[in-house]
Short mmCIF file of all heavy atoms in Angstrom, two decimals:
data_model
loop_
_atom_site.label_atom_id
_atom_site.label_comp_id
_atom_site.label_asym_id
_atom_site.label_seq_id
_atom_site.Cartn_x
_atom_site.Cartn_y
_atom_site.Cartn_z
N GLU A 726 -3.32 15.85 10.16
CA GLU A 726 -3.47 14.40 10.06
C GLU A 726 -2.50 13.69 11.00
O GLU A 726 -1.34 14.06 11.11
CB GLU A 726 -3.22 13.96 8.62
CG GLU A 726 -3.58 12.51 8.34
CD GLU A 726 -3.52 12.20 6.86
OE1 GLU A 726 -4.47 12.54 6.14
OE2 GLU A 726 -2.51 11.63 6.41
N ASN A 727 -3.00 12.65 11.68
CA ASN A 727 -2.20 11.93 12.67
C ASN A 727 -2.45 10.43 12.52
O ASN A 727 -3.57 9.97 12.65
CB ASN A 727 -2.60 12.39 14.08
CG ASN A 727 -1.70 11.83 15.16
OD1 ASN A 727 -1.10 10.77 15.01
ND2 ASN A 727 -1.61 12.54 16.27
N GLU A 728 -1.38 9.67 12.24
CA GLU A 728 -1.50 8.23 12.02
C GLU A 728 -1.19 7.42 13.27
O GLU A 728 -1.13 6.19 13.21
CB GLU A 728 -0.57 7.80 10.88
CG GLU A 728 -0.90 8.44 9.54
CD GLU A 728 0.09 8.04 8.46
OE1 GLU A 728 1.04 7.28 8.77
OE2 GLU A 728 -0.06 8.50 7.32
N GLY A 729 -0.99 8.07 14.40
CA GLY A 729 -0.69 7.36 15.64
C GLY A 729 -1.80 6.38 16.01
O GLY A 729 -2.99 6.71 15.90
N ILE A 730 -1.42 5.19 16.46
CA ILE A 730 -2.40 4.14 16.75
C ILE A 730 -3.40 4.57 17.82
O ILE A 730 -4.61 4.39 17.67
CB ILE A 730 -1.66 2.84 17.19
CG1 ILE A 730 -0.90 2.25 16.00
CG2 ILE A 730 -2.65 1.82 17.74
CD1 ILE A 730 -0.05 1.06 16.35
N VAL A 731 -2.90 5.16 18.89
CA VAL A 731 -3.79 5.59 19.98
C VAL A 731 -4.74 6.68 19.49
O VAL A 731 -5.93 6.67 19.80
CB VAL A 731 -2.96 6.10 21.19
CG1 VAL A 731 -3.88 6.67 22.27
CG2 VAL A 731 -2.11 4.98 21.76
N PHE A 732 -4.21 7.59 18.69
CA PHE A 732 -5.04 8.69 18.18
C PHE A 732 -6.10 8.17 17.21
O PHE A 732 -7.25 8.63 17.23
CB PHE A 732 -4.17 9.74 17.49
CG PHE A 732 -4.91 11.00 17.14
CD1 PHE A 732 -5.26 11.92 18.11
CD2 PHE A 732 -5.28 11.25 15.82
CE1 PHE A 732 -5.95 13.08 17.79
CE2 PHE A 732 -5.97 12.40 15.48
CZ PHE A 732 -6.31 13.32 16.47
N VAL A 733 -5.73 7.21 16.38
CA VAL A 733 -6.69 6.62 15.43
C VAL A 733 -7.80 5.89 16.19
O VAL A 733 -8.98 5.97 15.82
CB VAL A 733 -5.97 5.67 14.44
CG1 VAL A 733 -6.98 4.85 13.64
CG2 VAL A 733 -5.09 6.47 13.49
N PHE A 734 -7.42 5.18 17.25
CA PHE A 734 -8.42 4.51 18.10
C PHE A 734 -9.36 5.56 18.71
O PHE A 734 -10.58 5.37 18.74
CB PHE A 734 -7.72 3.72 19.21
CG PHE A 734 -8.66 2.99 20.13
CD1 PHE A 734 -9.13 1.72 19.80
CD2 PHE A 734 -9.10 3.58 21.31
CE1 PHE A 734 -10.01 1.05 20.64
CE2 PHE A 734 -9.98 2.92 22.15
CZ PHE A 734 -10.43 1.64 21.82
N PHE A 735 -8.79 6.66 19.17
CA PHE A 735 -9.58 7.75 19.74
C PHE A 735 -10.53 8.33 18.69
O PHE A 735 -11.69 8.65 19.00
CB PHE A 735 -8.65 8.84 20.29
CG PHE A 735 -9.37 10.07 20.77
CD1 PHE A 735 -10.07 10.04 21.97
CD2 PHE A 735 -9.35 11.24 20.03
CE1 PHE A 735 -10.74 11.17 22.43
CE2 PHE A 735 -10.02 12.37 20.48
CZ PHE A 735 -10.72 12.34 21.68
N CYS A 736 -10.05 8.46 17.47
CA CYS A 736 -10.90 8.95 16.37
C CYS A 736 -12.11 8.05 16.18
O CYS A 736 -13.24 8.53 15.98
CB CYS A 736 -10.10 9.02 15.07
SG CYS A 736 -8.92 10.38 15.00
N GLY A 737 -11.88 6.75 16.22
CA GLY A 737 -12.99 5.80 16.10
C GLY A 737 -13.95 5.93 17.26
O GLY A 737 -15.18 5.89 17.09
N LEU A 738 -13.39 6.14 18.44
CA LEU A 738 -14.19 6.26 19.66
C LEU A 738 -15.16 7.44 19.59
O LEU A 738 -16.33 7.32 19.93
CB LEU A 738 -13.25 6.43 20.86
CG LEU A 738 -13.80 6.20 22.26
CD1 LEU A 738 -14.13 4.73 22.48
CD2 LEU A 738 -12.80 6.67 23.30
N VAL A 739 -14.66 8.59 19.13
CA VAL A 739 -15.50 9.79 19.14
C VAL A 739 -16.33 9.95 17.86
O VAL A 739 -17.42 10.52 17.89
CB VAL A 739 -14.66 11.07 19.37
CG1 VAL A 739 -13.97 11.02 20.70
CG2 VAL A 739 -13.66 11.30 18.25
N SER A 740 -15.82 9.43 16.74
CA SER A 740 -16.54 9.63 15.48
C SER A 740 -17.86 8.88 15.45
O SER A 740 -18.79 9.27 14.74
CB SER A 740 -15.68 9.18 14.29
OG SER A 740 -15.52 7.78 14.28
N VAL A 741 -17.95 7.82 16.22
CA VAL A 741 -19.17 7.02 16.23
C VAL A 741 -20.31 7.75 16.93
O VAL A 741 -21.46 7.32 16.88
CB VAL A 741 -18.89 5.64 16.89
CG1 VAL A 741 -18.93 5.74 18.41
CG2 VAL A 741 -19.84 4.58 16.38
N CYS A 742 -19.99 8.88 17.56
CA CYS A 742 -21.03 9.70 18.19
C CYS A 742 -22.11 10.08 17.18
O CYS A 742 -23.28 10.23 17.53
CB CYS A 742 -20.44 10.98 18.77
SG CYS A 742 -19.41 10.73 20.21
N GLY A 743 -21.69 10.26 15.93
CA GLY A 743 -22.65 10.64 14.90
C GLY A 743 -23.73 9.61 14.68
O GLY A 743 -24.83 9.93 14.22
N MET A 744 -23.43 8.36 15.02
CA MET A 744 -24.41 7.30 14.85
C MET A 744 -25.33 7.20 16.07
O MET A 744 -26.47 6.75 15.97
CB MET A 744 -23.70 5.96 14.62
CG MET A 744 -24.59 4.87 14.06
SD MET A 744 -23.65 3.40 13.60
CE MET A 744 -22.80 3.97 12.14
N THR A 745 -24.83 7.62 17.22
CA THR A 745 -25.61 7.48 18.44
C THR A 745 -26.27 8.77 18.91
O THR A 745 -27.22 8.72 19.69
CB THR A 745 -24.72 6.94 19.59
OG1 THR A 745 -23.58 7.80 19.74
CG2 THR A 745 -24.25 5.53 19.29
N LEU A 746 -25.78 9.90 18.44
CA LEU A 746 -26.32 11.18 18.91
C LEU A 746 -26.78 12.04 17.74
O LEU A 746 -25.96 12.52 16.96
CB LEU A 746 -25.27 11.93 19.72
CG LEU A 746 -25.72 13.21 20.43
CD1 LEU A 746 -26.84 12.90 21.41
CD2 LEU A 746 -24.56 13.86 21.15
N PRO A 747 -28.08 12.23 17.58
CA PRO A 747 -28.58 13.07 16.48
C PRO A 747 -28.00 14.48 16.55
O PRO A 747 -28.00 15.11 17.60
CB PRO A 747 -30.09 13.10 16.73
CG PRO A 747 -30.38 11.88 17.53
CD PRO A 747 -29.17 11.69 18.40
N GLY A 748 -27.50 14.94 15.42
CA GLY A 748 -26.96 16.30 15.35
C GLY A 748 -25.46 16.37 15.45
O GLY A 748 -24.86 17.34 14.99
N LEU A 749 -24.84 15.36 16.03
CA LEU A 749 -23.38 15.37 16.15
C LEU A 749 -22.79 14.54 15.02
O LEU A 749 -22.96 13.33 14.98
CB LEU A 749 -22.95 14.81 17.51
CG LEU A 749 -21.45 14.80 17.80
CD1 LEU A 749 -20.87 16.20 17.67
CD2 LEU A 749 -21.17 14.25 19.18
N SER A 750 -22.13 15.20 14.10
CA SER A 750 -21.59 14.53 12.93
C SER A 750 -20.23 13.91 13.22
O SER A 750 -19.26 14.62 13.53
CB SER A 750 -21.45 15.53 11.77
OG SER A 750 -20.69 14.98 10.73
N GLY A 751 -20.16 12.59 13.12
CA GLY A 751 -18.90 11.90 13.33
C GLY A 751 -17.87 12.28 12.29
O GLY A 751 -16.68 12.43 12.59
N SER A 752 -18.32 12.46 11.05
CA SER A 752 -17.41 12.84 9.97
C SER A 752 -16.84 14.23 10.22
O SER A 752 -15.66 14.49 9.96
CB SER A 752 -18.14 12.82 8.63
OG SER A 752 -18.52 11.51 8.31
N PHE A 753 -17.68 15.12 10.73
CA PHE A 753 -17.21 16.47 11.03
C PHE A 753 -16.18 16.43 12.16
O PHE A 753 -15.17 17.16 12.12
CB PHE A 753 -18.38 17.38 11.40
CG PHE A 753 -17.97 18.79 11.71
CD1 PHE A 753 -17.35 19.56 10.75
CD2 PHE A 753 -18.18 19.32 12.96
CE1 PHE A 753 -16.95 20.86 11.03
CE2 PHE A 753 -17.79 20.62 13.25
CZ PHE A 753 -17.18 21.40 12.28
N LEU A 754 -16.41 15.58 13.15
CA LEU A 754 -15.43 15.43 14.23
C LEU A 754 -14.10 14.93 13.67
O LEU A 754 -13.03 15.37 14.10
CB LEU A 754 -15.96 14.47 15.29
CG LEU A 754 -17.11 14.98 16.17
CD1 LEU A 754 -17.56 13.89 17.13
CD2 LEU A 754 -16.70 16.23 16.94
N LEU A 755 -14.17 14.02 12.71
CA LEU A 755 -12.94 13.52 12.08
C LEU A 755 -12.24 14.63 11.29
O LEU A 755 -11.01 14.68 11.24
CB LEU A 755 -13.25 12.34 11.15
CG LEU A 755 -13.47 10.99 11.82
CD1 LEU A 755 -13.75 9.92 10.77
CD2 LEU A 755 -12.27 10.58 12.67
N LEU A 756 -13.03 15.50 10.69
CA LEU A 756 -12.44 16.66 10.01
C LEU A 756 -11.69 17.53 11.01
O LEU A 756 -10.56 17.98 10.75
CB LEU A 756 -13.52 17.49 9.32
CG LEU A 756 -13.89 17.14 7.88
CD1 LEU A 756 -14.99 18.08 7.40
CD2 LEU A 756 -12.69 17.23 6.95
N LEU A 757 -12.32 17.78 12.15
CA LEU A 757 -11.69 18.60 13.19
C LEU A 757 -10.43 17.93 13.73
O LEU A 757 -9.44 18.60 14.04
CB LEU A 757 -12.66 18.85 14.34
CG LEU A 757 -13.88 19.73 14.04
CD1 LEU A 757 -14.76 19.84 15.27
CD2 LEU A 757 -13.46 21.11 13.57
N LEU A 758 -10.47 16.61 13.81
CA LEU A 758 -9.32 15.86 14.32
C LEU A 758 -8.24 15.68 13.24
O LEU A 758 -7.15 15.17 13.53
CB LEU A 758 -9.76 14.49 14.83
CG LEU A 758 -10.65 14.52 16.09
CD1 LEU A 758 -11.25 13.14 16.35
CD2 LEU A 758 -9.86 14.99 17.30
N GLY A 759 -8.57 16.08 12.01
CA GLY A 759 -7.59 16.04 10.92
C GLY A 759 -7.47 14.71 10.21
O GLY A 759 -6.60 14.55 9.35
N ASN A 760 -8.33 13.75 10.55
CA ASN A 760 -8.16 12.40 10.01
C ASN A 760 -9.32 11.93 9.12
O ASN A 760 -9.47 10.74 8.88
CB ASN A 760 -7.99 11.39 11.15
CG ASN A 760 -6.53 11.23 11.56
OD1 ASN A 760 -5.66 11.90 11.01
ND2 ASN A 760 -6.26 10.37 12.51
N TYR A 761 -10.11 12.86 8.63
CA TYR A 761 -11.25 12.47 7.78
C TYR A 761 -10.78 11.76 6.51
O TYR A 761 -11.24 10.66 6.18
CB TYR A 761 -12.09 13.70 7.41
CG TYR A 761 -13.23 13.38 6.46
CD1 TYR A 761 -14.42 12.85 6.94
CD2 TYR A 761 -13.10 13.59 5.09
CE1 TYR A 761 -15.47 12.55 6.08
CE2 TYR A 761 -14.14 13.29 4.22
CZ TYR A 761 -15.32 12.77 4.72
OH TYR A 761 -16.34 12.46 3.86
N THR A 762 -9.85 12.37 5.81
CA THR A 762 -9.36 11.79 4.55
C THR A 762 -8.66 10.46 4.80
O THR A 762 -8.88 9.48 4.08
CB THR A 762 -8.40 12.77 3.85
OG1 THR A 762 -9.09 13.99 3.57
CG2 THR A 762 -7.89 12.18 2.54
#
Side-chain angles (χ1 to χ4, degrees):
E726 190 171 281
N727 187 334
E728 298 177 0
I730 291 174
V731 175
F732 189 75
V733 168
F734 181 86
F735 174 74
C736 286
L738 196 69
V739 299
S740 69
V741 82
C742 290
M744 196 172 288
T745 55
L746 187 59
L749 182 57
S750 168
S752 295
F753 181 61
L754 289 178
L755 282 181
L756 270 180
L757 292 178
L758 293 169
N760 272 2
Y761 176 81
T762 300

